[in-house]
Amino acid sequence: MSFLPTDEQRAFARSLDAMLSASDTPAVVRAWAGGDPGPGRVLWGRLAGAGVFALAVPEAYDGVGPLPVELAHAFVELGRHAVPGPVVETVAAAALLGELARLGEPGPAKRLLPGLASGEWTATLAIAGTESERHTVPYALDADRADAVLVVRGEELWRAPGHGPVEVSADPARRLARPAPGGERLAEGPAVAAAAGHARRLATLATAAQSLGVGRALLDRTVAYARQRTQFGTPIGAFQAVKHRLADTLLALEFAGPLVFGAAVTSAEGDVAAEGDVAAAKVAAGEAGYAAARTALQIHGAVGYTEELDLSLWLRKARPLRDAWGDPAACRAAVLGACS
């Protein structure tokens, strides 16, 4: 088993980085949060053209996947550039539909997967986990912007007819709403529950990779600030307390990286340990990204609180991503469960 990226995977990550660097993603994020999805949809088309969504779609439905390792590399870059929208939920929906087809229910995949792979469609996904959630479906990300709002309730897959009120989120670019009840039932039976578990695992992995990318971006920006900001005629990065804080942040991110890509490898190989590996990666990456946000805020000082500073776009993502698709407590429980 190799955890090192191939030359092709490195080139793919570099190409995404170059494309996103040229796309002015801070402006896209602000437009998305402000109610203008236009720039975000343009960026979505570019991501689709680069093959990001096709990585989660089987070849039989115009994709190239499923390729969890390549998806992990892609989502690190999406996190590094603070890309808005239901990117995780779209690949999770693709994974659900693809797995459902593999288990003998190809109808929904034929209808929706080609559009998801090409970027013509966006999707969001809500999976009701507990018995109570089956009656009060959890929030779906960007349900007001998605072309398809998919909901799993137990052993039933529904396409919701709409959504409820959009709720306030810690990150203005993460718009939360509950899917409306009813709609079209796309599939039912044990295969739906099995496919939902597969989709949840991929969503957890993608969110872990996104958290890692957010943490790396925050650290890079904080190191650059510590080099230019001076106190008493000295860059604050020369102070021992600042050095130690930055070093601790770097160590946490460096520890999380191999866990994320290792989990992607075990997922790609169908290893029975994949669920525990993905949960461990999510804990490490989520906590490291959140720690990077706290470090960035402390070292930037009062200027870190300002809306005008682009840093705020990453600061506001770190905590929601830490808790999305499995908060630390749930992921630690999953790790313990996998070890027992």
Side-chain angles (χ1 to χ4, degrees):
M1 181 183 296
S2 175
F3 296 97
L4 295 176
T6 64
D7 290 340
E8 291 80 5
Q9 289 163 351
R10 290 191 181 96
F12 176 55
R14 286 196 299 269
S15 68
L16 278 180
D17 177 39
M19 183 195 74
L20 292 169
S21 295
S23 297
D24 192 11
T25 53
V28 175
V29 176
R30 288 192 165 94
W32 190 272
D36 177 11
R41 294 303 295 256
V42 171
L43 181 58
W44 193 278
R46 293 174 184 164
L47 292 173
V52 171
F53 305 116
L55 294 171
V57 176
E59 293 182 15
Y61 302 99
D62 298 341
V64 297
L67 296 172
V69 179
E70 285 73 10
L71 275 168
H73 282 282
F75 274 84
V76 169
E77 295 305 318
L78 299 189
R80 283 187 63 236
H81 291 275
V83 171
V87 285
V88 168
E89 289 68 24
T90 293
V91 299
L96 186 150
L97 296 170
E99 182 70 4
L100 200 58
R102 190 185 71 82
L103 295 173
E105 293 281 353
K110 290 178 180 177
R111 288 177 54 185
L112 296 174
L113 279 182
L116 295 181
S118 68
E120 179 184 356
W121 292 84
T122 63
T124 191
L125 175 66
I127 300 175
T130 65
E131 187 63 34
S132 62
E133 285 177 340
R134 293 175 190 177
H135 302 288
T136 58
V137 175
Y139 289 109
L141 180 66
D142 293 312
D144 60 325
R145 305 276 171 80
D147 299 304
V149 180
L150 303 182
V151 182
V152 175
R153 299 186 182 96
E155 295 187 346
E156 296 180 339
L157 172 63
W158 292 80
R159 184 172 180 178
H163 59 87
V166 176
E167 303 289 343
V168 175
S169 169
D171 176 5
R174 291 178 62 85
R175 303 166 62 85
L176 302 174
R178 295 192 190 277
E184 179 188 3
R185 185 165 57 189
L186 300 178
E188 61 179 323
V192 171
H198 175 73
R200 187 190 293 274
R201 185 163 59 248
L202 185 65
T204 302
L205 175 64
T207 305
Q210 208 175 7
S211 293
L212 179 62
V214 166
R216 287 177 175 177
L218 285 165
L219 179 61
D220 289 346
R221 288 170 177 267
T222 305
V223 168
Y225 181 78
R227 285 173 173 164
Q228 69 173 8
R229 175 78 166 89
T230 61
Q231 285 185 356
F232 312 111
T234 302
I236 62 173
F239 300 150
Q240 283 292 100
V242 174
K243 286 182 178 180
H244 289 170
R245 189 65 186 266
L246 292 171
D248 289 343
T249 302
L250 175 61
L251 283 174
L253 291 168
E254 289 295 296
F255 178 77
L259 289 178
V260 170
F261 294 112
V265 169
T266 56
S267 295
E269 296 181 349
D271 196 307
V272 293
E275 185 167 351
D277 291 345
V278 169
K282 179 61 165 56
V283 171
E287 296 285 29
Y290 185 44
R294 296 200 306 271
T295 296
L297 190 58
Q298 181 178 24
I299 292 178
H300 278 80
V303 71
Y305 287 93
T306 62
E307 291 281 350
E308 293 77 14
L309 192 68
D310 284 349
L311 183 79
S312 65
L313 305 179
W314 282 266
L315 285 174
R316 291 189 167 196
K317 288 189 181 301
R319 177 63 182 268
L321 287 176
R322 188 194 74 163
D323 294 341
W325 293 102
D327 62 23
C331 287
R332 288 188 176 100
V335 172
L336 291 174
C339 294
S340 61

